[in-house]
């Protein structure tokens, strides 16, 4: 499989994971009908990529290729019909979310770097691609976004680590295919460990402990 | 009247309707001064078109032609001075909102299709154009957007029906002028019937009834 | 110093002021860790410029030059470590905020006018640049944005006055450098006077007094 195809497959897997995540979060958090479920699945799935492309100054890729939207709608529909089985379990939501976060962080960083943006911006744009869709979902659901919450057990940090891994590997001359897979595993592993062992980032000095 | 002129007139009528709708919603929902009223009228009126143009990858049309902003400010100013008469009536808000939704859904779908986007994307972009401004307004007012609410009596569905009508008619070779008017009427009629007879979209299986 | 350099310096000072403002507002309002503090500082600092550039149809400048993001992160880091001293004082936040508002309003209006947008759009785009970052910050923190609040003691109005000053001065043939500085001082002065003397914009007729 060529690198471009591998990146497309990873992108679509990330979209599917985030669509399920967004749809289940919507069902769990608010009183939404099928339109709300599919909309929030779609927004979670393509929001990060749209924000990334707008910040990169290019036409959002997710609207130019029908496979993106279709994948997101399939994920949302699956979540709609399986919601009774899935929504009472918080673990599947967290796993789908960690998968989407990891894949989007490395794809965002890779795309930014390919377009000539510097390393700092590429890491930041990777992280924004990872957290963007979920942040828009939380804003629409009237919740403070996960990325800003002090007891979210690291969310942007794993995304930045995964993005930094691919940025450094690309600077060092490695190709983008395998590097993206390893970078996503770095992000995913750190995120899951942080959830498992309840790691949190430092609070401002003087803030009362959790 | 040429098709381009007809579409411009429909666009400006939609902007006026959404500006009045957004301004009245602001006065009714929150404690806003004249700046808040005009801002929320403006955001409701041009938000959908700006989001559409960003997703299409073009410079937002609403900032390139002074008639868009001026029309939105006129609508907001009217609503400001007539608010005492209008805000206690929920029906005018719903009618203005349905008119804006209908006009923007067909204009958004037409523009997406003219730019070469596929039918699925054109329908979705039409719906996003229709619901976008009101969604931004609701986010700014700290409310869960109408489009996501389970008892909103269909909101995105009429927009998608109107958009699908113009997309199919254009695929079948009809011109865009009359088709846009009929498509808007399809959306408007379905929306008003849904409000009148309290139609709702299906809830997820297992969700408690309304 | 050339005009372009002067505008860049003013832009970076505005970014620093808004980053401190956004970070302190985050610490004061919500329970955020260092990621949340830096994110909200960054969003407040570059949000207005990104929205402006998206509305102007150009690639956001803030991601093309590493100095913007770095300045915003420095401001956020400063606020993080000095938060114990600063957050209980509301005055520093308001001063930093007024400085960012003033600088961004004149820079936004100048940039819009340089790109050929009309005077009405240039004033509006200046105001949007000024209030945009803080509005995104407030949406993420789940608050009604300052610009929409009826007792915010004028927020968009000083921004529009500062923007209108530079737009008129540019139309009258004055260069952009000194004009930008004076326009920012106009905005800053009106904002501070409005806070000091508790000026507010008119409410809709029939609204109960504050």
């Amino acid at each position: 499989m060529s690198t471009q195809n591998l990146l497309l497959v990873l992108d679509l897997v990330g979209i599917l994971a985030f669509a399920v995540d967004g749809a289940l979060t919507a069902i769990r958090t608010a009183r939404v009908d099928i339109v709300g479920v599919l909309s929030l699945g779609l927004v979670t799935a393509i929001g990060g990529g749209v924000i990334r492309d707008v910040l990169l100054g290019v036409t959002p890729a997710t609207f130019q290729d029908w496979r993106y939207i279709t994948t997101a709608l399939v994920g949302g529909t699956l979540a709609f019909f399986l919601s009774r089985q899935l929504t009472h379990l918080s673990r599947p939501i967290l796993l789908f979310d960690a998968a989407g976060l990891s894949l989007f962080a490395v794809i965002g960083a890779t795309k930014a770097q390919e377009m000539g943006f510097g390393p700092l911006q590429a890491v930041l744009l990777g992280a924004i691609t990872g957290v963007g869709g979920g942040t828009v979902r939380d804003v629409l659901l009237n919740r403070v976004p996960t990325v800003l919450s002090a007891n979210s057990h690291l969310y942007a940090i794993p995304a930045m680590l995964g993005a930094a891994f691919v940025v450094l590997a690309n600077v060092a001359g490695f190709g983008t295919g395998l590097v993206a897979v390893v970078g996503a595993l770095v992000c995913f592993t750190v995120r899951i460990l942080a959830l498992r062992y309840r790691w949190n980032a430092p609070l401002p000095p003087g803030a009362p402990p959790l």
Side-chain angles (χ1 to χ4, degrees), chain A residues 94-119:
Chain A
L94 289 172
L95 283 178
F96 280 114
D97 192 67
L101 179 74
S102 307
L103 292 163
F104 278 14
V106 298
I107 291 167
T110 304
K111 188 164 178 183
Q113 210 168 19
E114 277 175 357
M115 288 183 61
F117 285 75

Side-chain angles (χ1 to χ4, degrees), chain A residues 19-142:
Chain A
V20 173
D21 161 39
L24 290 178
T25 305
I27 295 168
R28 222 185 171 194
T29 311
R31 183 165 185 81
V32 284
D33 58 23
I34 189 164
V35 173
V37 172
L38 293 182
S39 304
L40 284 162
L42 187 67
V43 159
T44 311
I46 70 173
V50 166
I51 294 172
R52 174 201 64 206
D53 288 345
V54 168
L55 295 176
L56 290 173
V58 298
T59 306
T62 34
F63 277 86
Q64 295 184 301
D65 183 332
W66 62 271
R67 289 174 293 192
Y68 291 101
I69 293 171
T70 308
T71 304
L73 294 177
V74 166
T77 308
L78 277 174
F80 183 82
F81 287 110
L82 296 175
S83 61
R84 209 198 298 237
Q85 286 76 47
L86 292 174
T87 39
H88 293 290
L89 307 165
S90 61
R91 208 164 291 180
I93 300 189
L94 289 172
L95 283 178
F96 280 114
D97 192 67
L101 179 74
S102 307
L103 292 163
F104 278 14
V106 298
I107 291 167
T110 304
K111 188 164 178 183
Q113 210 168 19
E114 277 175 357
M115 288 183 61
F117 285 75
L120 173 66
Q121 286 103 313
V123 172
L124 191 60
L125 284 162
I128 290 171
T129 312
V131 308
T135 300
V136 177
R137 175 202 65 210
D138 289 338
V139 165
L140 291 174
L141 285 169
N142 226 343

